[in-house]
């Protein structure tokens, strides 16, 4: 919380602030919560002056109360459609603002293709931007162009859509943190165009390299805090790509079929700390040929284990 200073109010002189510090009243919240009689004695100000200062500090530093009905309407208006019908139905409409989504799966399961398809579908609207952070160095503009060409034949639309996908590369978690910090300033300045989604593809590639770093937990904490802040402050959905690990839970050694009956435990990577960061976690799995199954693995709002089937094609995920 902000420290009390002379610039906050004309009545808060250096002399008064020093007297408040002696009584361990050093922050805005300390002042607002303190008893008015004690503040009067500490500052020699009148009750009216104390009340005026409190009221002013609350207006400047306090939060705003919003009606839940207004928040619901705002959320419904700002839902970002993936335009993959079965996926939008699974997600009860699409990607909700302020939410962190995680797409998990094994290598080559279609995670990146799903992200590229979502990005292309969003930017086909003229006023939409997608911010795409590539940590693997495998973002191919040619693949994005192929997806767009399967959705529209107009060259101008394709060129404009390509421009509306803002690509940034990060090669280590410190670069990623720096990019997200800078993005908070960029998002404040948006006018004609509005960012409708932030995609990070992916986290494990750069996080695992620093898993033995003494600041590893700090890195994860900082990343989760920045993602939550961006999602809530700018009211956009964030999509993060993650991998999965499979662990075998062996049966009784005396059982001849123990190997066949061993239970495979599938878990997302990045450890226990990251488990609770995404509000919705999706698991994408290979089926026959080009088909994929997308399952709700974790969600606070949607039914667990609900699933839909999609297909990987030249037009991306359909």
């Amino acid at each position: 919380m902000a420290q009390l200073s002379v610039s906050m109010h004309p009545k808060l002189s250096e002399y008064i602030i020093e007297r408040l510090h002696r009584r361990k009243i050093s922050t805005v919240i300390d002042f607002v919560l303190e008893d008015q009689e004690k503040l009067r004695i500490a500052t020699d100000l009148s009750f009216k002056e104390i009340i005026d200062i409190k009221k002013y500090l609350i207006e400047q530093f306090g939060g705003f109360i919003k009606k839940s009905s207004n928040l619901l309407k705002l959320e419904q208006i700002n839902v970002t459609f993936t335009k993959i019908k079965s996926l939008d139905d699974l997600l009860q409409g699409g990607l909700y603002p302020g939410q962190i989504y995680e797409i998990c799966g094994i290598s080559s399961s279609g995670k990146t293709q799903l992200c590229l398809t979502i990005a292309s579908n969003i930017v086909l609207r003229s006023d939409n931007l997608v911010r795409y952070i590539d940590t693997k160095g495998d973002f191919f503009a040619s693949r994005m162009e192929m997806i767009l060409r399967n959705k529209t034949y107009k060259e101008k639309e394709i060129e404009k859509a390509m421009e509306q996908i803002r690509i940034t590369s990060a090669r280590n978690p410190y670069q990623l943190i720096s990019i997200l910090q800078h993005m908070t300033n960029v998002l404040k300045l948006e006018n004609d165009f509005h960012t409708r989604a932030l995609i990070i593809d992916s986290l494990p590639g750069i996080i695992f390299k620093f898993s033995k770093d003494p600041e590893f937990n700090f890195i994860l904490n900082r990343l989760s805090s920045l993602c939550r802040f961006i999602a809530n402050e700018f009211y956009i959905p964030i999509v993060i790509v993650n991998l999965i690990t499979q662990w075998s839970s062996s049966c009784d050694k005396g059982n001849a079929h123990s190997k066949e009956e061993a239970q495979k435990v599938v878990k997302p990577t990045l450890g226990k700390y990251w488990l609770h960061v995404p509000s919705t976690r999706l698991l994408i799995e290979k089926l026959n040929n080009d088909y994929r199954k997308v399952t709700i693995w974790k969600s606070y709002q949607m039914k667990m284990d609900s699933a839909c089937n999609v297909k990987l094609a030249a037009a991306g995920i359909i």
Side-chain angles (χ1 to χ4, degrees), residues 274-286:
W274 195 261
L275 279 175
H276 305 290
V277 174
S279 46
T280 299
R281 177 174 286 117
L282 302 175
L283 176 63
I284 183 168
E285 301 170 279
K286 289 183 178 180

Side-chain angles (χ1 to χ4, degrees), residues 250-266:
S250 299
C251 300
D252 186 359
K253 292 182 180 180
N255 189 338
H257 302 286
S258 60
K259 289 185 179 180
E260 290 76 15
E261 295 177 359
Q263 183 180 5
K264 288 185 178 180
V265 180
V266 179

Side-chain angles (χ1 to χ4, degrees), residues 279-296:
S279 46
T280 299
R281 177 174 286 117
L282 302 175
L283 176 63
I284 183 168
E285 301 170 279
K286 289 183 178 180
L287 297 177
N288 297 327
N289 300 322
D290 296 324
Y291 286 90
R292 302 291 189 268
K293 179 182 179 183
V294 181
T295 306
I296 294 179

Side-chain angles (χ1 to χ4, degrees), residues 188-201:
K188 291 176 184 178
L189 302 175
E190 288 186 346
N191 293 315
D192 298 332
F193 294 90
H194 177 60
T195 296
R196 299 292 295 184
L198 166 61
I199 298 174
I200 303 175
D201 183 15

Side-chain angles (χ1 to χ4, degrees), residues 6 19 21 26 45 53 110 116 127 174 178 186 195 197 203 216 220 256 259 266 268 278 284-285 299 316:
V6 294
R19 293 188 62 173
H21 283 178
S26 58
L45 296 172
I53 295 172
L116 294 176
D127 58 345
Y174 300 104
S178 178
V186 172
T195 296
L203 276 188
F216 179 69
L220 285 179
K259 289 185 179 180
V266 179
I284 183 168
E285 301 170 279
S299 177

Side-chain angles (χ1 to χ4, degrees), residues 22-120:
R22 290 175 188 170
R23 290 165 174 78
K24 297 182 179 180
I25 303 172
S26 58
T27 68
V28 170
I29 195 167
D30 292 337
F31 189 92
V32 170
L33 295 179
E34 188 55 83
D35 180 72
Q36 290 174 188
E37 175 63 21
K38 291 182 180 179
L39 289 174
R40 189 191 67 77
I41 295 171
T43 61
D44 287 334
L45 296 172
S46 67
F47 280 119
K48 184 179 183 305
E49 289 172 323
I50 296 294
I51 292 172
D52 287 343
I53 295 172
K54 279 192 174 186
K55 183 178 178 181
Y56 181 81
L57 292 177
I58 290 171
E59 289 175 352
Q60 294 299 311
F61 297 94
F64 297 96
I65 298 174
K66 296 182 180 180
K67 292 182 178 180
S68 57
S69 58
N70 291 340
L71 289 174
L72 178 61
K73 289 179 182 177
L74 186 62
E75 185 175 84
Q76 292 172 338
I77 291 171
N78 287 281
V79 171
T80 299
F81 304 112
T82 70
K83 292 188 179 179
I84 304 169
K85 187 179 184 307
S86 58
L87 182 59
D88 282 337
D89 290 343
L90 182 68
L91 297 175
Q92 297 180 1
L95 302 174
Y96 281 76
Q99 302 292 313
I100 298 176
Y101 295 84
E102 186 175 76
I103 301 172
C104 296
I106 61 173
S107 180
S108 301
S109 57
K111 303 182 297 297
T112 294
Q113 295 303 311
L114 181 56
C115 289
L116 294 176
T117 305
I118 291 172
S120 65

Side-chain angles (χ1 to χ4, degrees), residues 116-157:
L116 294 176
T117 305
I118 291 172
S120 65
N121 288 342
I122 292 173
V123 296
L124 280 173
R125 284 189 56 182
S126 59
D127 58 345
N128 287 348
L129 290 178
V130 171
R131 301 194 180 271
Y132 200 111
I133 302 177
D134 173 28
T135 69
K136 302 178 295 179
D138 63 355
F139 181 92
F140 292 102
S142 57
R143 175 56 179 150
M144 178 61 73
E145 184 180 359
M146 182 188 296
I147 293 173
L148 288 168
R149 286 192 181 281
N150 278 272
K151 300 176 186 299
T152 177
Y153 295 102
K154 298 179 180 179
E155 289 294 331
K156 288 186 178 180
E157 286 186 1

